[in-house]
Amino acid sequence: MSAYACPVLDSLYTLQAQLINMGVIPTLVKLLGIHSHNSALTEMCLIAFGNLAELESSKEQFASTNIAEELVRLFQKQTEHEKKEMVFEVLAPLAENDVIKLQLVEAGLVECLLEVVGQTVDGEREEDIAQLKTASDLMVLLLLGDESMQKLFEGGKGSVFQRVLSWIPSHNHQLQLAGALAIANFARNDGNCIHMVDTGIVQKLLELLDRHVEEGNVTVQHAALSALRNLAIPVVNKSKMLSAGVADVVLKFLQSEMPPVQFKLLGTLRMLIDTQAEAAEQLGTNGKLVERLVEWCEAKDHAGVMGESNRLLSALIRHSKSKEVVRTVIQKGGVKHLVTMATSEHMIMQNEALVALGLIAALDLVAAEKDFVGASLVPVLHKLLSDERSAPEIKYNSMILICAVMGSEPLHKEVQSLAFIDVVSKLRAHENKTVSHQASLTEQRLTAQS
C-alpha cells in the first residue's frame, strides 16, 4: 500500500469532522424521530449516521442525543432483512462507545436482539444466518461495557443472562460462540465469577469444549477457554474448577496448532494452579505437558504463546515446590528457558523466573548444574545485579539465587571469576532495606567461600 495519503479519503474525513462540529448529528436524530414513517428520509438518515459513526469524535455527540431510543424504535418496526441490516450497520459502530452501550440496553435493544436470535436460529436462508450472526455479535459487544454488562447480569438472575446461558448447549456454532464470549464478558469481576461457578456454568463450558475436541471449531474453543480462564481468577473458584475436571478437559487441546487456542489454554492452566500445590504437582509431573511447554517456549513467531509458556513453566515449580516437578522440567530441557525469562523486559516475568530458578537450585542443584552452566545463569545474575534499572525484588532474588548455587563447584568458580563481591558490596548501601540486608548476608557467604 502506498505511503502517500489518499486526497479523496482525507477530504471525506475533513468533511465528516466539519459536519460534526456544525452540530449536524442532533439535527438528524430529531429529523429521524419526527419523520420515522418516511422510509426515504429514514434511509438517508441511516446512511448519514453510518458514515458519521465511524469517526470517534462523533460518539460523544451521539451519546448526548436520544439516538438509542430512536434506533431501537426503528429496528422494532422493520420487517425486511435489508432494512434491519441498515439499522444494524449504524448500531455496531455506535455500540463501541460505553455510554451508548448502556443507552441501548436501557432502550430495549437486547430484547430485540434476542427476538432476532429466536426467529433465525433454525433458519437455513443466508439472510437468517447473517442476521443471527449480527444480532449475537452485537449482543456480545454490549456486554463489553462494565455498566451494561452488570445491568444485564442482574446478580445472575437476569432473564438476558439466562437466555445467553441457553446458547451454550445449542447445536448452532454461532450461538455457542456468542454464548461462550458472553460468559467470558460476564466473568469480569469476582462476584460474577463466584456466582457463575456456584451455579454450574463450568460444566456447560466443559461439555461444549468436549464437543469441539473432534469438531475443532477454533473460535468456539478460544471463546470457551477465555471464559474458563476468567472464571478461574477468584481464589475460591480454583479448587471447585479443578474438582470439576477443568484441567483434564483443557489438556485435550494440548495438540492444537492454533496460537490463539494455545494462548488461552496456557492462561487457563496458569490461573487454575495459582496457590494450588497439588494441582501444580500433578500437572508439573505430566511429561507431555512439560514437553509441549518447552516447545512453545521457542515459539518466536507468537510472543504471547512464548510468554505464557514460560510463565506456566515457572508457575508449576513455584506453586508445587516439588522435587519431582523440578526433575521433570530439567529432564525436558526447561531450565534454559527460565534463565532466558529472567532477562525479560517485564519485571513480573523476571521475578517469576528467578523464584523458580531459586527453587530448582534448592531442590536439585546437582541435576540442574549442567543446564545452569550451559544457559549462562551466573553471568545473567551478574548483569541483573549490576544493572541500576533492576527492581529491588530482582536484585533480592538474584542474590538469593547466587547463594543457592554456591554449593556447585563449576558455578562457584564462575561466581568467583566474575568478582561478584564488588557488585554485592555496593548493594549494602541500597535504599531498600530488604536488598541491603540480603547484600550483607550474600557478601558474608561469598567471603566465607572465596
Side-chain angles (χ1 to χ4, degrees):
M1 197 173 176
S2 167
Y4 298 102
C6 170
V8 178
L9 275 178
D10 274 0
S11 59
L12 183 62
Y13 285 129
T14 311
L15 181 63
Q16 286 173 329
Q18 281 174 347
L19 287 168
I20 291 164
N21 291 336
M22 285 163 65
V24 75
I25 289 172
T27 310
L28 284 172
V29 175
K30 271 184 197 160
L31 205 61
L32 180 67
I34 298 163
H35 299 286
S36 57
H37 57 278
N38 183 328
S39 60
L41 195 59
T42 299
E43 269 184 41
M44 283 171 71
C45 285
L46 288 173
I47 292 165
F49 290 150
N51 288 328
L52 294 168
E54 290 169 15
L55 282 187
E56 204 47 49
S57 57
S58 73
K59 307 278 168 73
E60 271 183 42
Q61 269 205 32
F62 273 119
S64 66
T65 70
N66 64 336
I67 185 74
E69 290 169 36
E70 294 298 352
L71 288 175
V72 170
R73 199 176 300 141
L74 191 63
F75 188 82
Q76 287 166 333
K77 283 168 61 179
Q78 303 311 321
T79 49
E80 293 170 46
H81 168 68
E82 283 78 12
K83 294 277 171 64
K84 280 185 178 173
E85 277 299 311
M86 278 188 85
V87 183
F88 270 141
E89 278 169 25
V90 179
L91 286 168
L94 286 179
E96 286 169 14
N97 177 283
D98 281 1
V99 177
I100 301 175
K101 278 186 181 78
L102 188 59
Q103 291 173 351
L104 289 167
V105 167
E106 287 170 343
L109 178 61
V110 173
E111 289 71 19
C112 296
L113 297 176
L114 289 172
E115 201 176 310
V116 172
V117 168
Q119 289 164 352
T120 57
V121 65
D122 298 318
E124 288 172 11
R125 295 177 307 171
E126 262 183 50
E127 63 186 57
D128 287 338
I129 295 163
Q131 269 194 49
L132 178 70
K133 179 172 172 22
T134 311
S136 54
D137 283 352
L138 191 49
M139 183 80 186
V140 172
L141 182 58
L142 291 174
L143 293 173
L144 280 171
D146 287 338
E147 282 189 76
S148 50
M149 175 273 288
Q150 212 52 46
K151 188 175 177 65
L152 294 170
F153 189 66
E154 287 182 61
K157 295 177 173 63
S159 60
V160 172
F161 172 65
Q162 298 301 329
R163 282 285 292 278
V164 166
L165 272 190
S166 72
W167 293 355
I168 294 172
S170 155
H171 293 291
N172 184 298
H173 282 187
Q174 176 57 36
L175 271 197
Q176 292 170 3
L177 171 64
L181 285 173
I183 297 304
N185 284 340
F186 279 124
R188 286 211 313 277
N189 62 53
D190 282 7
N192 290 7
C193 288
I194 292 164
H195 178 86
M196 286 195 276
V197 167
D198 287 346
T199 49
I201 279 173
V202 170
Q203 207 48 51
K204 285 186 167 70
L205 289 166
L206 294 183
E207 284 163 12
L208 176 62
L209 275 172
D210 260 333
R211 286 159 70 183
H212 284 275
V213 176
E214 299 306 323
E215 285 180 55
N217 185 305
V218 175
T219 50
V220 175
Q221 291 172 1
H222 181 261
L225 288 168
S226 297
L228 288 172
R229 182 199 174 281
N230 288 1
L231 290 169
I233 293 172
V235 176
V236 292
N237 282 357
K238 297 178 196 294
S239 57
K240 293 174 186 172
M241 290 177 72
L242 286 162
S243 303
V246 173
D248 300 328
V249 174
V250 170
L251 285 173
K252 291 179 184 178
F253 296 90
L254 208 52
Q255 296 315 309
S256 172
E257 293 302 332
M258 295 297 178
V261 173
Q262 295 167 353
F263 181 72
K264 288 296 177 187
L265 173 153
L266 293 162
T268 306
L269 290 177
R270 186 165 64 80
M271 285 300 159
L272 278 173
I273 62 160
D274 193 4
T275 70
Q276 306 296 308
E278 196 182 319
E281 177 150 20
Q282 207 178 345
L283 289 171
T285 49
N286 177 331
K288 279 185 179 167
L289 170 63
V290 176
E291 212 166 89
R292 194 73 160 135
L293 292 184
V294 171
E295 186 188 321
W296 285 340
C297 282
E298 291 169 6
K300 293 192 169 50
D301 295 342
H302 302 287
V305 172
M306 195 163 88
E308 277 291 346
S309 301
N310 277 298
R311 293 190 76 184
L312 180 54
L313 204 56
S314 156
L316 292 169
I317 296 167
R318 288 182 297 110
H319 296 299
S320 70
K321 297 180 176 60
S322 149
K323 191 167 184 170
E324 289 310 309
V325 172
V326 165
R327 285 211 168 136
T328 308
V329 172
I330 295 169
Q331 282 165 6
K332 300 296 178 186
V335 173
K336 64 180 180 187
H337 296 297
L338 292 171
V339 176
T340 305
M341 183 182 169
T343 65
S344 164
E345 59 198 32
H346 305 290
M347 191 200 68
I348 192 164
M349 287 178 70
Q350 282 186 304
N351 216 30
E352 287 172 359
L354 290 168
V355 173
L357 290 165
L359 285 163
I360 292 173
L363 292 167
D364 206 340
L365 182 58
V366 176
E369 182 181 81
K370 194 176 159 197
D371 287 338
F372 279 163
V373 173
S376 305
L377 173 65
V378 174
V380 163
L381 294 174
H382 189 274
K383 194 176 172 203
L384 290 173
L385 287 171
S386 310
D387 190 345
E388 287 178 9
R389 293 166 302 175
S390 292
E393 303 95 302
I394 304 301
K395 291 195 187 309
Y396 174 80
N397 283 319
S398 295
M399 287 188 281
I400 295 278
L401 193 43
I402 283 297
C403 294
V405 300
M406 292 289 279
S408 149
E409 197 182 330
L411 293 165
H412 187 175
K413 278 181 183 165
E414 280 192 59
V415 171
Q416 284 178 313
S417 71
L418 279 169
F420 263 83
I421 286 193
D422 300 346
V423 184
V424 171
S425 62
K426 282 180 191 165
L427 291 173
R428 276 174 34 209
H430 198 278
E431 60 187 2
N432 183 295
K433 293 281 178 283
T434 313
V435 172
S436 58
H437 179 63
Q438 186 56 43
S440 299
L441 295 176
T442 307
E443 189 180 24
Q444 287 167 23
R445 184 79 187 270
L446 291 169
T447 312
Q449 290 191 255
S450 61

